[in-house]
Structure formats: C-alpha cells, structure tokens
Amino acid sequence: MKISQEKTKGLTFSCTAVIAADEFEKEVQNRIARMAKGAKLPGFRPGKAPVSMLNQKYRGAALGEALDFLVQKSVSEIIRDKNLRVAMEPEIKLGKFEDGKDIEFTLEVETLPEIKLGDFSKIKLEKQMAEVPAEEIEKSLEYVAQSRRETQTVTEDRASIKGDIAVIDFSGSIDGVEFKGGKGTDYPLELGSNSFIPGFEDQLIGKKKGDKVDVKVKFPEDYHAKDLAGKDAVFAVVIKELKVLKKTEINDAFAVSLGEKDLASLKQKVSDRIKEDYENASKMKLKRALLDALDKEYKIEVPEKLVNAEYDNIVKQYEHAKEHNELDEYEKSKSEKDLLKEYKDIANRRVKLGLLLSEVGVAEKIQIAPDDINKAIMNEAKRYPGQEKAVFDYYLKNKQAVEALKAPVMEEKIVDHILSKVQIVDKTVSVKELYRFDEDEKKTA
C-alpha cells in the first residue's frame, strides 16, 4: 500500500492510498486456496481440482473478502504510521474497482486536538456553603409526621369539609364514553390536596357519605395523556366514607416509632441528612464553577463530527420532551430556533470539556477502582428509600447498567482530582442562594 497524496486541514486528515494489483491478487489467491481446502468438486479428489476451476467457483467470494481485509489493514497502517489520534470512525471511499488493476481509495478522518494542560493551582473558586436552619429541621419532622398520620372514620352525619379524606368510587367519561384509566375504587382522596384534576375536589366539599355526584371538569391543555388534554369530562362519583386525619405529636414516642432513641437523636439525624443535601448542592455548584473556569481558560479546536453527534443527542431529548409535554418553563419560553442555537453551543462545550477531562485522566493516570463503582451504586440506591435491595439486585444482574456508571464515575474522579489542585475559598450563603441555579446552568452543566 502506498499513499499517493495527503492533506491535513484543521483536525481533518485525508489521503488517497493505492493497493497494488499484484498485492491484491496474492491475497485473493491465498483466500481461494483456503476456501478450496477439502472442497469436493465433481470428478476430483479433495484439494486436487485445477486452479482454473477453483478460481471460477471461489473467486467472487474471495474478491470481496480480500478487498475488505486489505483496505482495513491499510487504514490501520496509515493511522499507526501517521500517529493519528482518531476522534470517530474514518470515512473510506473506494475508487473504481477493476479486477487485475491497482485499487485506489480515499480516507478522511477527524483527529483529536493536542491539549496542553496548564497549572490548575492558578484557578480560584468559591465554594458556597449553608448552615441548617432550625426551622428546616422542624419542617422535615412535620413532613414525616404528616406522612405517618392515621385516619379516623367520621361517625356523625355531616357534610365533608376541606381536609377530610373522602373514600370514593369514580368512573370518568368523555361524551358518554368511558376512557382508559378513568376508574377507581375505594380511593382515599384528601379534599383540598389538589392531587386530582383542578376543580374535582371542590365539587365534593359539602357532600355527605352515600352521595352520588357528577363531577364536571376539563383536563388541562398540557395534560400528560394527549388524548385527554383539553377535553371536558364527567366523573360519576360515589362517596362511600368520610375520614379525618389524626394529628401526630412530634415527641420522644414519635422518634422511637421511627427507630431512634429519642427526639434529640431524631433531630440530629434529620440535620445530618439535610447537611448532606446541602453538601451535594454545594459540590454541584462548585463543579459547575470549575467547568466554567476550564471552558474560559482553554481554547480547544473540537472535532466537528463529535459536536454534531452530541448535538443530535440533545435534540432527540428535546424532541422527546416536546412530544410528551415535558418541556420545562425555560424551554417553553424560548423559540425553537433560539433553543437549537443554544443546544449547538452546549454540544460544543460538552465535547470540549469532555476532551479536556479525558486528557487530565490520561496524564494523571486516573483509573476506576471497584470501590468507586460500589460507592456509585450505593448513592444510586439512596435515591430510592425502601427500594435499596431492588436497586442492588438490578445492578447485580445488569452488567450494561454497571458499564453505564463508569463514564460518570470517571468524570467525577477527574473533577475531584482537579478540585484538589485549585484554590477554593469557602463562603457561607443562605439556603435560597445555595439552591439558586440559573436556567443556563441547568442546560450546560
């Protein structure tokens, strides 16, 4: 194989290569010989058939195999000899192919940029931290107490009021036709909770046990089920029972019911959990600040095809959210043209920072240990209280899911390594400030 011409433009390397006809024919004959071993042709013993007959029978298949093999081999040699750091799969275009003549093909491949790492200790960052307010602990305890409240059946003959639990049977219909998912039996609905369609609960206030009510509502325009969105519906409702929620006292007995020694130890545990949440938010903002600093500090030419691939992924996610009415308020407020332009910038940033972090990982020989993966699985399990075993079992049985964890785990290790080098100043802020994330931060982080 010989290169007849080559060109480098930016990160793109291209060349034209030629595989000599005699080299190609030699490979073809080698493959015909392998195919013919033990072949049985009428009138000949295995392996004794004339070359002309073997060529006639096997040459077509041998040509394709030899061509594919020699082109791929040549491409590998070019990449190796030219020390190319390939960003994506090379594009190969075969010239006119004629049996018995030299084979010409063109190769075009995007390469990774050369990145010179600077002194991370020159970067200065601010780490936001917040103290846990006493009222936040009380709010958390109140939330737990509310979720564990017991109910008591209303025995007196009275109309329902806001805050009551109405145990109902219901069946919804549109234009007299019942729709899927519109039925329920013995459903405990807290009146005033706004957990049902707007206006539904209001029509049950003032009714009694045994009453039958036709509740007339209109599904919101952005309702998740598109076939119901914006439509008028009627729910035939039967109030089977009324209940009231009993107040739960937050005291030592309440703490013991949750497995704690007393109320003081419960409060400490709640405080520690909130602190952990604050620390996670703090680290998230610190990471964002670091990425912003790196983005500003490093000017890196990025492979266009990698950017396009990342952009396509972002657009697919956007299209999916749009189709299922899951766009956030920021996306709804922007025109699609402006959003797509932002997504292109985001794709460029992600690829740039991804290449930079990868370079740091290689330069510093950062690797993932089994403990890192176990820790990631533990953190994932924490997100699903009460279902930890199910999460562990999922990863135990799903190797692909474990593999999917490796990229974010590696990124976190690299980010942590860089953060260990930079100058960090702690700053105490309010809880509101700690949790204030601008919309553009959500998009680009």
Side-chain angles (χ1 to χ4, degrees), residues 12 34 40 65 83 93 104 130 143 161 226 229 236 349 366 378 384 411 433:
T12 302
R34 285 201 292 271
K40 295 181 180 179
E65 288 186 9
N83 293 316
K93 292 182 181 178
E104 187 177 274
Y143 176 80
I161 60 175
K226 281 189 172 182
R349 170 189 163 99
I366 297 172
M378 288 284 288
Y384 303 94
E411 180 178 300
E433 174 71 15

Side-chain angles (χ1 to χ4, degrees), residues 47-321:
K48 298 297 182 180
V51 173
S52 59
M53 289 187 68
L54 293 174
N55 267 291
Q56 184 178 0
K57 182 174 179 63
Y58 297 112
R59 188 170 184 82
L63 284 173
E65 288 186 9
L67 180 63
D68 183 64
F69 171 75
L70 288 176
V71 169
Q72 293 301 327
K73 178 186 174 187
S74 299
V75 169
S76 297
E77 289 175 356
I78 293 169
I79 291 172
R80 182 195 66 211
D81 294 344
K82 298 295 180 181
N83 293 316
L84 302 177
R85 298 173 64 207
V86 177
M88 293 188 75
E89 283 293 316
E91 285 188 11
I92 302 166
K93 292 182 181 178
L94 194 64
K96 187 177 180 181
F97 174 65
E98 294 182 40
D99 194 0
K101 293 188 177 182
D102 290 348
I103 298 168
E104 187 177 274
F105 69 89
T106 58
L107 165 70
E108 184 175 290
V109 61
E110 271 195 307
T111 59
L112 296 174
E114 183 179 349
I115 302 174
K116 293 183 179 179
L117 300 176
D119 184 358
F120 295 130
S121 67
K122 293 180 180 179
I123 297 176
K124 297 180 180 179
L125 299 177
E126 184 179 87
K127 182 179 180 181
Q128 296 185 356
M129 304 173 69
E131 298 296 331
V132 180
E135 60 267 24
E136 195 66 27
I137 297 173
E138 296 302 325
K139 276 172 60 179
S140 294
L141 289 174
E142 189 62 38
Y143 176 80
V144 176
Q146 289 280 342
S147 67
R148 293 175 64 87
R149 284 186 300 175
E150 296 179 353
T151 60
Q152 181 176 310
T153 301
V154 175
T155 56
E156 60 184 297
D157 181 26
R158 69 163 176 82
S160 63
I161 60 175
K162 190 175 181 179
D164 282 348
I165 303 291
V167 181
I168 62 174
D169 289 349
F170 61 89
S171 177
S173 61
I174 295 176
D175 296 330
V177 180
E178 292 185 359
F179 55 85
K180 187 177 180 181
K183 270 190 173 183
T185 303
D186 293 329
Y187 187 90
L189 176 61
E190 182 179 351
L191 303 182
S193 65
N194 296 318
S195 56
F196 267 31
I197 304 165
F200 188 105
E201 295 164 27
D202 294 341
Q203 297 176 56
L204 298 183
I205 294 176
K207 307 302 180 183
K208 293 184 176 182
K209 174 184 176 181
D211 283 353
K212 296 181 179 180
V213 186
D214 284 339
V215 175
K216 298 176 181 179
V217 293
K218 183 174 184 177
F219 282 98
E221 296 292 341
D222 60 352
Y223 195 66
H224 62 86
K226 281 189 172 182
D227 57 331
L228 301 178
K231 293 186 178 180
D232 293 316
V234 177
F235 285 84
V237 179
V238 178
I239 300 178
K240 301 174 74 174
E241 192 176 12
L242 291 178
K243 294 184 177 183
V244 290
L245 289 164
K246 295 167 64 178
K247 182 174 176 58
T248 301
E249 296 293 336
I250 301 175
N251 49 27
D252 286 343
F254 174 68
V256 170
S257 74
L258 293 172
E260 295 299 321
K261 179 182 176 183
D262 50 30
L263 184 57
S265 63
L266 176 60
K267 286 185 175 182
Q268 184 60 53
K269 188 170 184 178
V270 170
S271 177
D272 291 343
R273 180 186 57 76
I274 296 173
K275 275 183 184 176
E276 186 178 347
D277 290 342
Y278 288 1
E279 180 59 31
N280 289 336
S282 176
K283 185 172 181 180
M284 188 185 301
K285 296 191 81 168
L286 183 63
K287 177 182 176 181
R288 167 59 200 246
L290 174 64
L291 295 179
D292 283 346
L294 294 175
D295 186 30
K296 184 178 179 181
E297 181 74 21
Y298 287 84
K299 307 302 177 187
I300 302 170
E301 184 180 4
V302 293
E304 185 180 354
K305 289 178 182 176
L306 280 182
V307 173
N308 289 339
E310 181 63 30
Y311 172 73
D312 288 343
N313 285 333
I314 296 173
V315 171
K316 282 179 184 177
Q317 292 171 13
Y318 164 73
E319 294 290 353
H320 181 272

Side-chain angles (χ1 to χ4, degrees), residues 344-359:
K344 192 72 173 184
D345 293 339
I346 292 169
N348 191 85
R349 170 189 163 99
R350 285 182 181 176
V351 171
K352 171 185 174 180
L353 292 173
L355 292 175
L356 176 59
L357 293 179
S358 179
E359 191 70 27

